[in-house]
Amino acid sequence: MIDQTVQPTIVALSSAPGRAGVAVVRVSGARVRFVIETTAGTVPPPRQATLRALRDRHGRVIDKGLVLFFPGPTSFTGEDVVEFHVHGSRAVLAALLARLTALPQVRLAEAGEFTRRAFEAGKLDLAAVEGLADLIDSDTEWQRRQALRQMDGALGVLAEQWRAQLLQAMTLLAAEIDFSDEGDVEGPLQDEALDIAEAVLLSLRQALGSFAMGERVREGFVVVLAGPPNAGKSSLLNALARRDVAIVSPIAGTTRDALEVRLDLEGLPVLLMDTAGLRESTDPIEAEGVRRARALMERADLVLELRAIDSEPYQTEQTQSRIAVATKADLDGTVLPGERAISVRSGEGLPELLSAIVAHLRGLSQNEPALLTRERHRVAVTEAILALERATRVRGGPSELSAEDLRIAVSALERLVGRIGVEDVLDTLFAGFCIGK
């Protein structure tokens, strides 16, 4: 529990800045009751919205709004918290914040300071804090679902289960090491301990398998538009984005570098990328654009391979992560087997192409949101896996070595949820929050 006597009381606007119907000003810390009594009268009953007049230091009414009091330790930060729900006028907010920050031992919050206090009070583990950050930044339904699961502590709960099982295994190994000649220590304790470690190892491997998908949902599935010059890539990018992102020109080689736009396709976050036309070129700038295009195709989750319907076919590598598209279907030409015909001008085939893109990306995914969503998660779990693989590789060896590997695995899991060694992570993470969170 945080010692509220040494923590300053903090205040910030917790809703979006700017003109609005309602705004929320949050205060947290030991001086919250004093803040309420000074500004809004008596402290209202906990968690009960109460209409009050909020007054400045001269007793003049700043605004009338709702006051909600959340006593610690059962609040978001673990401290006493109050929220003032007022009209979202810039003038009202300026007057209220000026009034509150003029009170003794009350100051404006720093970025992410409310959430940091929740973390330090044990209200959230580090993975849940990251989930909250992702929830605030979520743009699509899948991102929301994944972030909400993380914020609700799914990874933290599982990590604690892994840790508890490994501590049990370490206890068994310690008993074998220290009391192996004692009559009351019976049975193959090392085998029992390593059986537990193997079960945890299997679960860790399964969780690690979800990392690629978790990262994709956070960052967006990469869909690359590829094909020769004048295949209609830029036109399709603009059509799918529903705005002019790329320059469309009959002059070959207009696109030299990758252009990207973020889309929400039926809840899926997609990073759609237009690339340079694929052809041999003596122009060093265009040649570099082609090289980058091929590099993007190699790491893409899906390549839309475009060919103008009135052009000659060209040879490409056949992969499962590819949809062949014949563009300019309003012109005379031939649709090859396996191609989807579309026309940006008339809209022909575009709904079907979108459905095919969504179906392909859904096929890459799983029903449940991923547990591991950040590189930090992958590194910690990988370290735990390697340690457990060493511990379980050879049975019958020195129990001291197995115990040390289990200790390394436990340490990695403690870093995963922020128990130890994450100060640098915390500083970067909380700096990315808004002031009122």
Side-chain angles (χ1 to χ4, degrees), residues 86-225:
V86 296
H87 295 98
S89 151
R90 289 185 177 89
V92 167
L93 293 174
L96 181 57
L97 288 172
R99 167 61 167 154
L100 296 177
T101 54
L103 296 174
Q105 301 176 40
V106 179
R107 64 163 172 82
L108 284 174
E110 298 174 358
E113 191 169 4
F114 289 95
T115 306
R116 184 155 195 159
R117 292 191 178 192
F119 171 77
E120 292 171 347
K123 298 294 182 177
L124 298 171
D125 62 35
L126 182 55
V129 171
E130 290 168 329
L132 175 57
D134 289 343
L135 184 64
I136 293 171
D137 291 337
S138 63
D139 293 317
T140 72
E141 174 63 14
W142 278 39
Q143 288 174 329
R144 182 195 66 78
R145 287 174 52 205
Q146 179 169 283
L148 189 60
R149 187 185 189 203
Q150 198 83 304
M151 190 187 74
D152 284 345
L155 178 56
V157 169
L158 190 54
E160 185 56 37
Q161 291 174 358
W162 291 329
R163 177 178 176 276
Q165 289 174 282
L166 293 181
L167 290 177
Q168 179 187 358
M170 291 172 66
T171 301
L172 293 171
L173 290 176
E176 178 170 284
I177 294 167
D178 295 337
F179 307 109
S180 56
D181 355 348
E182 301 283 335
D184 57 347
V185 178
E186 299 178 353
L189 297 183
Q190 186 191 70
D191 284 345
E192 186 178 349
L194 295 185
D195 285 345
I196 294 172
E198 285 183 343
V200 174
L201 177 59
L202 177 61
S203 182
L204 285 169
R205 285 171 175 162
Q206 291 172 341
L208 185 61
S210 73
F211 170 71
M213 183 53 53
E215 186 180 45
R216 277 295 184 253
V217 171
R218 278 192 72 242
E219 303 295 337
F221 293 91
V222 177
V223 177
V224 171
L225 304 178

Side-chain angles (χ1 to χ4, degrees), residues 163 166-167 170 173 204 379-391 400-416 420:
R163 177 178 176 276
L166 293 181
L167 290 177
M170 291 172 66
L173 290 176
L204 285 169
V379 170
V381 169
T382 299
E383 183 178 341
I385 287 174
L386 292 175
L388 293 181
E389 286 176 342
R390 291 193 301 270
E400 292 85 351
L401 295 180
S402 296
E404 174 61 15
D405 285 324
L406 263 60
R407 185 197 65 77
I408 293 172
V410 168
S411 178
L413 295 177
E414 289 177 339
R415 285 198 303 279
L416 178 64
I420 58 171

Side-chain angles (χ1 to χ4, degrees), residues 25-84:
V25 174
R26 176 185 288 172
V27 187
S28 177
R31 303 278 289 174
V32 159
R33 293 173 185 268
F34 169 76
V35 167
I36 298 172
E37 291 167 349
T38 306
T39 309
T42 58
V43 177
R47 295 175 177 80
Q48 180 175 313
T50 306
L51 181 64
R52 293 286 176 83
L54 308 180
R55 300 180 183 275
D56 65 15
R57 66 188 183 91
H58 301 293
R60 296 174 301 204
V61 175
I62 297 172
D63 191 16
K64 290 185 178 180
L66 298 178
V67 179
L68 286 94
F69 173 57
F70 305 91
T74 57
S75 67
F76 174 71
T77 62
E79 306 171 318
D80 286 348
V81 172
V82 65
E83 291 182 356
F84 299 108

